[in-house]
Amino acid sequence: MTSAYIPRHLTQNEVDLEKTISEKDFVEQLKIEQQNKRCVVILAEPGAGKTDLLFSFSKQLDAELHYASILVDEDIPEGNILIVDALDEVSTTDPTRMKSLLGKIFRSNAQLVILSCRATEWEHLSNESHDQNIEFINRTLKPLDYLEIQQFYSDQKYSHSFESFIEVIEQNGLYELIGNPIILKILAKVFNSHEVTNVFESKSRIFEQAVREFASEQSDERSTKYFSLSLEEKIAYIENIFAVLL
């Protein structure tokens, strides 16, 4: 079952979540930003929905979504808008390749560059970019709020009610985690695919089932258009998400 996309909200930083801007309004700002050389960096933890957001941007701005791990070995495409996802996937493997990629990006003729990266990785990468003649605009992807979580759950047509799902999630102290779309999707599927009393008897049992559920996930157009993760990579990925959020 492919989940319907829910438009997101962004903030200027990770602390002040009250000052937000809707995705729709932000895209209108991006269209104006094309008049000046700008680089927008979308920051968030793993699984927060950066790829989905950039995919949505690409549709609204009529631009192609590129993956950093692929673009690092290719020529930068021509165009006024360049959208590149998952810079951190390159930076964690080889710093020299990341420096080369950033150099190519900033030397391109794109007037508007949109990048996504984990916040912790960008702190390091931004130091590599200070000498570039480009203005950076950092925005943090806000976690899903209660109504957005409810909308996502309702769109899936699950057998159990949303209220019963939230009740069990809160009983297990997991509510803060489900603002992350991947965690929400996995826990909702676990909740609706197993005997609740057995799976949700402990956090360790929940996480065990969540890892298994994620390992069986099929890729879709938004998440892995050009590549798919191996079983081992999927397990490592979801375990990393839990580690960051907890």
Side-chain angles (χ1 to χ4, degrees):
M1 182 185 298
T2 302
S3 57
Y5 179 69
I6 298 176
R8 304 296 297 275
H9 291 79
L10 301 109
T11 68
Q12 291 191 15
N13 55 64
E14 298 180 74
V15 178
D16 194 354
L17 297 181
E18 296 303 318
K19 295 181 179 179
T20 66
I21 183 171
S22 69
E23 178 181 329
K24 179 181 178 181
D25 290 342
F26 190 63
V27 168
E28 292 304 313
Q29 286 188 6
L30 292 179
K31 292 177 180 178
I32 298 174
E33 299 296 347
Q34 294 182 55
Q35 301 173 11
N36 303 294
K37 186 79 172 181
R38 299 286 174 83
C39 179
V40 175
V41 185
I42 304 299
L43 305 172
E45 78 275 4
K50 298 184 295 296
T51 298
D52 282 1
L53 179 68
L54 263 62
F55 186 85
S56 177
F57 284 168
S58 72
K59 295 297 185 183
Q60 297 178 71
L61 296 170
D62 193 25
E64 186 175 356
L65 172 62
H66 301 275
Y67 294 95
S69 59
I70 297 176
L71 197 62
V72 67
D73 296 316
E74 299 180 348
D75 293 333
I76 300 297
E78 298 291 324
N80 289 328
I81 303 176
L82 178 63
I83 305 178
V84 183
D85 184 37
L87 283 181
D88 46 273
E89 292 184 3
V90 176
S91 66
T92 56
T93 58
D94 188 342
T96 59
R97 283 164 58 80
M98 171 51 63
K99 189 172 183 179
S100 172
L101 175 60
L102 287 175
K104 290 194 299 182
I105 289 174
F106 297 136
R107 289 192 301 270
S108 73
N109 62 1
Q111 287 297 103
L112 174 62
V113 176
I114 305 174
L115 310 173
S116 77
C117 189
R118 299 182 188 181
T120 52
E121 286 293 322
W122 180 247
E123 290 177 10
H124 168 69
L125 293 178
S126 59
N127 293 330
E128 299 276 351
S129 312
H130 281 159
D131 58 344
Q132 305 292 334
N133 186 25
I134 190 169
E135 180 181 350
F136 289 95
I137 302 173
N138 296 348
R139 292 293 181 267
T140 299
L141 185 55
K142 186 179 180 182
L144 298 174
D145 61 25
Y146 183 88
L147 292 179
E148 291 167 339
I149 292 171
Q150 185 179 39
Q151 179 183 342
F152 170 89
Y153 191 93
S154 299
D155 287 345
Q156 303 308 301
K157 309 298 183 184
Y158 287 125
S159 56
H160 294 296
S161 70
F162 175 71
E163 290 74 19
S164 62
F165 171 68
I166 288 296
E167 181 180 359
V168 171
I169 289 297
E170 290 180 335
Q171 287 174 352
N172 287 274
L174 300 174
Y175 184 80
E176 294 301 318
L177 299 186
I178 61 174
N180 181 295
I182 284 186
I183 298 299
L184 170 60
K185 179 179 180 179
I186 293 171
L187 291 182
K189 291 186 71 173
V190 169
F191 179 74
N192 284 274
S193 302
H194 300 80
E195 181 61 43
V196 175
T197 55
N198 293 333
V199 176
F200 283 76
E201 61 187 11
S202 66
K203 283 188 178 180
S204 61
R205 176 69 171 152
I206 296 171
F207 296 156
E208 175 188 345
Q209 291 297 325
V211 169
R212 290 183 179 180
E213 187 66 49
F214 185 72
S216 66
E217 277 285 294
Q218 299 295 315
S219 63
D220 61 34
E221 184 185 13
R222 293 199 306 268
S223 61
T224 50
K225 187 176 181 180
Y226 300 110
F227 59 90
S228 59
L229 299 175
S230 66
L231 176 60
E232 292 76 14
E233 289 171 330
K234 283 184 176 181
I235 292 174
Y237 181 73
I238 193 63
E239 287 179 341
N240 183 50
I241 292 178
F242 277 122
V244 170
L245 294 179
L246 293 172

